Amino acid sequence: MTITCFIEYRINPYQLDEFRQYAENWGKIIPECGGEPIGYFLPYEGTNNRAFGLISFDSLASYEKYRIRLKSSEGGHDNFLFAQNQQFILEEKRSFLTAVPSTYIRLRGG
C-alpha cells in the first residue's frame, strides 16, 4: 500500500521565493533519500500563507528509513538549515494519507 505524507506549511507570504527555492531543493534531495515527490505547491489565489508538499512512500516503514537518510544527507541538512536561517516557514504539519484507488489518477492508469 502506498502512503502519502501531506505536509501543510504556514509560510511568510513575503518570502515566497525562498520557499520556492526550498521546495526545488527537495525535488532533488527527496528521490535520493527514497521518497517519491508528488509535488510542492505555493499559494496562487486566496490564502497567501499556506503551501503544501506531498511525498509518497511504499509504506510507513519506508518513510521512517527515508527520514533517517534525509537527516544524514548533506543536501537535507543544508536545506533544513536554509529554512531555519531564513525563517520563511512559520509552522509545519504532517498527515499520512492513502488514496482511494478509483479516484487516484496513477492507480487508474492515467
Side-chain angles (χ1 to χ4, degrees):
M1 166 180 32
T2 300
I3 63 162
T4 299
C5 179
F6 177 84
I7 309 166
E8 179 182 356
Y9 299 94
R10 186 167 59 91
I11 60 173
N12 181 333
Y14 301 104
Q15 291 181 290
L16 289 181
D17 289 339
E18 288 84 350
F19 187 85
R20 182 187 316 275
Q21 182 60 56
Y22 174 79
E24 288 175 354
N25 293 345
W26 284 136
K28 298 170 192 155
I29 299 163
I30 289 169
E32 295 172 356
C33 294
E36 181 185 347
I38 293 173
Y40 275 76
F41 302 86
L42 293 169
Y44 177 73
E45 182 77 25
T47 304
N48 68 353
N49 68 341
R50 295 279 185 234
F52 304 93
L54 288 89
I55 309 163
S56 284
F57 302 92
D58 292 333
S59 65
L60 197 52
S62 294
Y63 169 76
E64 294 299 333
K65 291 176 187 172
Y66 155 84
R67 290 291 293 170
I68 292 167
R69 283 187 228 122
L70 188 65
K71 288 180 181 181
S72 65
S73 79
E74 183 177 342
H77 172 76
D78 291 348
N79 212 31
F80 285 128
L81 196 57
F82 171 59
Q84 184 178 10
N85 288 339
Q86 298 298 313
Q87 298 183 357
F88 49 85
I89 297 173
L90 307 175
E91 182 180 27
E92 185 175 324
K93 299 177 187 176
R94 294 175 191 275
S95 297
F96 293 88
L97 311 169
T98 187
V100 175
S102 64
T103 66
Y104 190 48
I105 194 162
R106 289 176 146 177
L107 299 177
R108 288 190 319 220

